[in-house]
């Protein structure tokens, strides 16, 4: 078998892992969820979840990857024993990657569609009926499938080129560009009258706004946003060489992901408040409400292009990590050449995605357990297979590998309180919190 691929440097890993984490979850989901849940209180709970649940599981995943140097299924065999029942966690990860990428690519397609409109000036020309673009897209099966195809094709091309030459290279270009675009948008937002109210909305929590449902959503979002529970970080961790400090590099990734969410929130709400809009518009906030405002803004053309380019980069760098989970497995277990595997697996996921895309129009009446395909793939992965994978990973790391693994994670160094804190978080806090999510999620799925 060919020698295993590795990142060319620590920065390569950090950019790729941050690329996976920073995605539609940060720029699309986080602002609208914060808007729906009253702002600051949601942000506060979100930050606690990242620290108490997200970061510990991120550390566990990267450790499992780095130690095993294997794909998501064989990693559990390598660290436990051949045919270990923990392989199930890996299988679950593969299923989740399929489900998430199928609908993620559909939304990625919407972003490309809006990017093309922004470039053509159709978001900012005076007489354009911008508010109806999303609805128009939904009513056009051909366009939905076309943009989904374009997004998936880009994803496949990058993954086909390999770990260092494809994934790392793409992230080295797109991630710095993403940060620059975001910075440009934050500076632009700073000059808007809505900037101060946006900052207040996000950062001064009113504790009376705290609800169980908001807490639950915040925990699920922390998970999704850090790409946890399905082995994306196990797979990326497996391309790390021994000797990298896992606590340090994972903390950098978690901080980057969180900062991008917060800054995206600042940008979105600065615009929303400047134009006296409703922060609780929900999932259409990014595709309906914001584009309407670009039209009224001086220099709106540039802001619109920067905004949708930023989201396109974010979505693409996450999608490649989802496809890589499956490709790494097929590649290593069956020995298929990478370009062929990327194409085959990409095609299979693409087919599922077509079902999701058509559920907005031709397949609108087809329901499974009361959900159309798009919602089904989203709900089953976010509420069921991701949290389940998360509990299994935390328990495997905390109880099966146990104290030794935590010591090795810190390379025998680091303050004792951090090591003990990590052990406690992966043994008790994270499994309990995620198991709670799971029960609630299951109840919601069949409600
Ligand atoms: N973290 C990505 C986002 O916030 O959009 C989504 C994601 C990517 C989830 C990769 C899971 C994953 F494995």
């Amino acid at each position: 078998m060919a020698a295993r691929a590795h990142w060319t440097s620590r920065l390569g890993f950090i950019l790729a892992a941050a690329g996976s984490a920073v995605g539609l979850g940060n720029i699309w989901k986080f602002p609208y969820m914060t808007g729906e849940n009253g702002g600051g209180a949601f942000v506060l709970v979100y930050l606690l979840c990242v620290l108490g649940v997200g970061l510990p599981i991120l550390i566990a995943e990267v450790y499992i990857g780095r130690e095993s140097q294997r794909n998501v299924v064989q990693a559990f065999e390598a660290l436990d024993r051949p045919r270990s029942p923990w392989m199930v966690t890996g299988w679950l990860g593969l299923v989740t990657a399929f489900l998430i990428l199928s609908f993620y690519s559909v939304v990625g397609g919407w972003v490309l569609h809006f990017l093309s409109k922004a470039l053509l000036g159709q978001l900012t020309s005076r007489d354009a009926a911008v508010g109806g673009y999303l609805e128009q897209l939904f009513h056009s099966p051909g366009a939905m499938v076309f943009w989904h195809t374009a997004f998936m094709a880009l994803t496949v091309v990058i993954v086909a080129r390999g770990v260092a030459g494809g994934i790392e290279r793409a992230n080295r270009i797109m991630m710095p560009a993403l940060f620059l675009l975001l910075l440009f948008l934050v500076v632009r937002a700073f000059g808007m009258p809505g900037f101060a109210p946006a900052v207040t909305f996000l950062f001064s929590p009113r504790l009376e706004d705290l609800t169980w449902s908001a807490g639950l959503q915040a925990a699920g979002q922390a998970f999704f946003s850090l790409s946890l529970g399905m082995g994306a970080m196990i797979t990326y961790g497996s391309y790390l060489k021994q000797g990298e400090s896992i606590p340090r590099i994972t903390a950098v990734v978690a901080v980057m992901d969180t900062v991008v969410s917060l800054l995206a929130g600042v940008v979105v709400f600065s615009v929303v408040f400047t134009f006296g809009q409703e922060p609780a518009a929900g999932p259409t906030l990014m595709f309906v409400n914001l584009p309407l405002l670009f039209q009224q803004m001086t220099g709106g053309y540039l802001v619109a292009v920067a905004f949708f380019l930023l989201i396109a980069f974010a979505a693409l760098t996450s999608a490649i990590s989802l496809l890589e989970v499956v490709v790494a497995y097929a590649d290593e277990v069956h020995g298929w050449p990478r370009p062929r595997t990327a194409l085959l697996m990409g095609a299979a996921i693409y087919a599922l995605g077509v079902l999701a895309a058509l559920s907005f129009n031709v397949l609108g009446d087809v329901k499974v357990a009361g959900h159309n395909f798009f919602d089904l793939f989203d709900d089953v992965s976010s509420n069921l297979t991701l949290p389940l994978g998360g509990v299994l990973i935390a328990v495997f790391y905390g109880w099966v590998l146990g104290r030794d693994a935590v010591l090795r994670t810190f390379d025998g160094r680091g303050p004792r309180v951090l090591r003990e804190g990590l052990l406690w978080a992966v043994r008790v806090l994270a499994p309990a919190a995620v198991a709670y999510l799971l029960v609630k999620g299951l109840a919601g799925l069949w409600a």
Side-chain angles (χ1 to χ4, degrees):
M1 193 198 276
R4 193 177 171 77
H6 284 103
W7 307 113
T8 62
S9 67
R10 177 186 309 157
L11 183 67
F13 167 80
I14 291 180
L15 289 178
S20 170
V22 172
L24 293 167
N26 304 62
I27 304 167
W28 170 50
K29 272 191 167 176
F30 179 81
Y32 89 68
M33 284 177 129
T34 305
E36 282 181 334
N37 288 293
F42 179 83
V43 174
L44 182 70
V45 183
Y46 177 79
L47 294 178
L48 292 176
C49 291
V50 167
L51 203 66
V53 182
L55 186 56
I57 297 188
L58 177 61
I59 293 176
E61 288 207 20
V62 174
Y63 174 85
I64 292 171
R66 188 196 68 176
E67 284 299 295
S68 66
Q69 299 282 304
R70 285 284 182 284
N71 61 77
V72 66
V73 173
Q74 294 178 317
F76 291 92
E77 286 187 289
L79 297 187
D80 188 22
R81 57 185 158 80
R83 304 247 138 246
S84 159
W86 288 96
M87 277 164 77
V88 171
T89 315
W91 288 108
L92 198 66
L94 294 178
V95 172
T96 312
F98 258 77
L99 289 174
I100 297 188
L101 186 50
S102 69
F103 74 83
Y104 206 82
S105 170
V106 173
V107 184
W110 304 351
V111 174
L112 293 183
H113 172 74
F114 274 80
L115 176 60
S116 74
K117 290 223 173 268
L119 282 167
L120 292 172
Q122 292 173 0
L123 289 185
T124 35
S125 70
R126 202 178 278 244
D127 45 354
V130 175
Y133 283 167
L134 189 65
E135 201 54 33
Q136 253 175 35
L137 182 63
F138 286 176
H139 285 122
S140 162
M144 285 280 269
V145 173
F146 172 81
W147 289 108
H148 163 53
T149 312
F151 187 85
M152 202 64 199
L154 287 171
T155 308
V156 167
V157 166
I158 297 172
V159 172
R161 291 168 157 254
V163 174
I167 299 176
E168 181 173 337
R169 208 146 113 222
N171 276 296
R172 276 181 186 269
I173 299 167
M174 285 193 270
M175 289 308 285
L178 183 153
F179 285 117
L180 283 178
L181 288 168
L182 188 58
L183 206 65
F184 163 73
L185 290 168
V186 172
V187 171
R188 184 68 180 75
F190 183 70
M192 295 181 188
F195 182 80
V199 171
T200 314
F201 180 69
L202 287 168
F203 299 109
S204 50
R206 289 178 316 190
L207 294 183
E208 64 273 21
D209 287 344
L210 278 184
T211 60
W212 276 112
S213 136
L216 205 66
Q217 287 188 49
Q221 169 63 10
F223 229 72
F224 183 83
S225 188
L226 289 169
S227 303
L228 300 177
M230 47 148 299
M233 292 298 181
I234 294 181
T235 307
Y236 272 14
S238 77
Y239 304 132
L240 265 177
K241 295 184 181 131
Q242 296 290 344
E244 295 294 351
S245 162
I246 292 181
R248 201 171 313 149
I249 53 183
T250 48
V252 173
V253 171
V255 168
M256 279 183 169
D257 185 60
T258 308
V259 167
V260 172
S261 284
L262 295 175
L263 291 181
V266 168
V267 170
V268 169
F269 290 112
S270 295
V271 178
V272 165
F273 289 131
T274 297
F275 292 92
Q277 292 269 318
E278 177 51 46
T284 58
L285 187 65
M286 189 169 96
F287 294 107
V288 177
N289 305 66
L290 276 189
L292 270 176
L293 308 178
F294 295 145
Q295 220 174 6
Q296 306 171 32
M297 195 184 274
T298 31
Y301 178 84
L302 214 55
V303 177
V305 171
F307 187 70
F308 282 105
L309 197 59
L310 163 81
I311 306 165
F313 284 167
L316 208 53
T317 50
S318 297
I320 55 183
S321 73
L322 286 159
L323 184 58
E324 178 61 17
V325 172
V326 187
V327 169
Y329 165 77
D331 200 355
E332 276 172 14
V333 172
H334 301 293
W336 300 345
R338 173 175 278 270
R340 198 173 83 191
T341 323
L343 193 64
L344 270 176
M345 295 296 144
I349 295 171
Y350 168 79
L352 264 189
V354 170
L355 291 180
L358 296 182
S359 65
F360 289 89
N361 34 67
V362 249
L363 297 180
D365 292 332
V366 183
K367 299 273 194 278
V368 181
H371 294 62
N372 66 28
F373 285 116
F374 184 95
D375 294 338
L376 185 76
F377 299 160
D378 186 1
D379 280 356
V380 168
S381 55
S382 307
N383 299 330
L384 186 64
T385 60
L386 268 193
L388 187 58
V391 177
L392 292 174
I393 288 166
V395 170
F396 180 74
Y397 176 78
W399 293 100
V400 178
L401 302 179
R403 191 175 285 275
D404 279 357
V406 174
L407 273 177
R408 280 179 64 84
T409 305
F410 280 89
D411 299 313
R413 296 191 297 267
R416 205 184 125 92
V417 7
L418 281 188
R419 298 201 301 256
E420 293 301 323
L422 176 63
L423 196 60
W424 182 76
V426 288
R427 281 189 166 174
V428 184
L429 184 64
V434 182
Y436 178 72
L437 253 182
L438 194 61
V439 172
K440 285 289 190 182
L442 271 178
L445 210 57
W446 274 279

